[in-house]
Each structure stands twice: as C-alpha cells, then as structure tokens.
Amino acid sequence: MTTALTFAVPKGRILDEALPVMARAGVVPESAFNDKGNRALSFATEDGAMRIIRVRAFDVATFVAFGAAHAGIVGSDVIEEFNYSELYAPVDLDIGHCRLSVAEPKDASVYSPGNASHLRVATKYPNLTSRWFERQGIQAECVKLNGAMELAPSLGLSLRIVDLVSSGRTLADNGLVETDVIMPVSARLIVNRAALKTDPRVAQLVERFRALSESEAA
C-alpha cells in the first residue's frame, strides 16, 4: 500500500491565503480542518491522497527538510533563516507578502554603523539578523524571542528589533519606526529534495503548483 504524501502548512497569517491556492492545485483538507474547535494537527485531504499537518511556520521547514513531510508552504523568511540543504523552494506562490525589517524606537538617536561595532537585537531570526548586520560592519548580539518583539527596546532588552512587517501599525502602536528592510517576503512551495528525486507524486505536485502560479501571473 502506498503511503500518502504529507503536506505541511503553517499556522497563522499565511494559512488563510494558502488554502485557496492549495484548493486550486487539488490539495483540499477534510472538513474537520476548518473546525476552529478541533485541536488535531494532522488531517486527511478530501480525496484521501494526502495528509496535511498544521504546525508552526518555523517547523514546516524542519519537517520538510528532514523528510517527515514531503512538501509544504512557508514564507521565504523561514527558508532563508534555516538554509537547509535538503529544502528546495521551486514555486513562489505570490501570497503572504510582507518584509523582514529592522526597527528602533522613534525617539532613538540617529544610529549609523560607524558609531558602534556591537549591537544587541531582539529577533526570532538570529541567522538572517547577524548576517545582515555583519554586512554593515556590526556584530549583532541576537536575543532570541518568539513574540512580543516590540516590547524589547522599551524594556531595555535591546536597542533594535528585527521582525516581519506588513502595514507597520504594530510598530507604530509600540513607538517604533522601521529603519531598514532586510528582505521582502512571500510564501513558497517547498519540497524535500530526496522526495522530489524518488517520488514522482512530489514532482507532479510541484508541476501543479507551478502551472497554477504561471497561469495567474499571465
């Protein structure tokens, strides 16, 4: 008996945009998936051909990279943060648009790279953050937080934060201003490289998403 493909999707902001795209590519979760009271993390698809797991965005990349899931959808921020060699991101889905940015208190003194060689930054993206600041000639001491990043400067935890920004309202509401954009972000289809080579169903899945993406871009 052939094992069903496992497809990982992220909880949170991307999922609402991803579900219609998935449906057009033939990946439709069973009705229980949409039950807000259902705490299950694994669901069948309507056609029974796949299993859908719903996990944190950072964990989508890990499940796929290590082969626990064959494919999934995640933001390019997560892909770049982990840089897993076994992760292949063949299709930009043109959803989940935002940016990864540096922010500081709006009343902070003007900061220029020439004034310091070391800076403490609160973020859940320590790899991307340290690489970006290194290119500015600054050693960033990254304080790993998983949320409430905007509180860090006002409580003295860090001088800057690096986080995802969409409208910028959350920053403004917490007295912060965006100073630099590290990278634009959008959601991508990701697959496990080994699975792509060995399971033709994974290649077919990629082609369905790629054809959908190309038709919508045309």
Side-chain angles (χ1 to χ4, degrees):
M1 183 176 175
T2 304
T3 305
L5 289 182
T6 300
F7 193 92
V9 297
K11 300 175 179 178
R13 63 181 186 85
I14 291 178
L15 185 55
D16 287 342
E17 289 185 73
L19 285 171
V21 177
M22 290 163 55
R24 291 195 291 275
V27 182
V28 182
E30 62 179 310
S31 59
F33 184 91
N34 299 307
D35 179 358
K36 300 297 184 185
N38 192 325
R39 299 295 181 183
L41 300 175
S42 178
F43 302 87
T45 52
E46 282 188 349
D47 61 8
M50 299 176 70
R51 174 174 58 172
I52 296 178
I53 59 170
R54 182 168 53 194
V55 297
R56 293 180 183 274
F58 275 46
D59 294 336
V60 169
T62 303
F63 274 100
V64 176
F66 285 88
H70 300 84
I73 291 175
V74 78
S76 52
D77 55 318
V78 176
I79 298 168
E80 293 294 328
E81 172 65 19
F82 284 105
N83 196 25
Y84 285 127
S85 61
E86 277 303 305
L87 210 61
Y88 176 45
V91 185
D92 186 340
L93 300 175
D94 197 27
I95 59 172
H97 291 284
C98 57
R99 56 197 180 273
L100 185 66
S101 294
V102 183
E104 66 179 33
K106 62 183 178 184
D107 57 356
S109 58
V110 175
Y111 172 78
S112 67
N115 292 340
S117 60
H118 183 275
L119 186 68
R120 186 185 292 166
V121 185
T123 184
K124 63 178 177 179
Y125 300 91
N127 294 324
L128 280 168
T129 298
S130 59
R131 290 199 299 265
W132 188 84
F133 277 102
E134 187 177 325
R135 290 195 295 271
Q136 320 307 313
I138 302 165
Q139 180 185 355
E141 176 192 350
C142 295
V143 179
K144 182 81 179 330
L145 292 179
N146 292 314
M149 224 73 61
E150 295 82 8
L151 289 173
S154 65
L155 296 177
L157 182 60
S158 68
L159 291 173
R160 304 288 183 276
I161 70 168
V162 168
D163 201 9
L164 293 180
V165 177
S166 182
S167 67
R169 180 171 178 178
T170 303
L171 292 179
D173 286 350
N174 287 279
L176 301 175
V177 292
E178 188 177 4
T179 58
D180 291 284
V181 176
I182 293 178
M183 63 177 288
V185 174
S186 61
R188 311 292 170 92
L189 175 74
I190 59 172
V191 296
N192 177 274
R193 288 186 186 275
L196 180 62
K197 293 175 183 176
T198 59
D199 193 327
R201 297 174 300 168
V202 177
Q204 291 164 8
L205 183 69
V206 169
E207 287 310 311
R208 293 208 304 270
F209 275 95
R210 179 176 283 133
L212 179 66
S213 177
E214 290 173 354
S215 68
E216 293 186 351

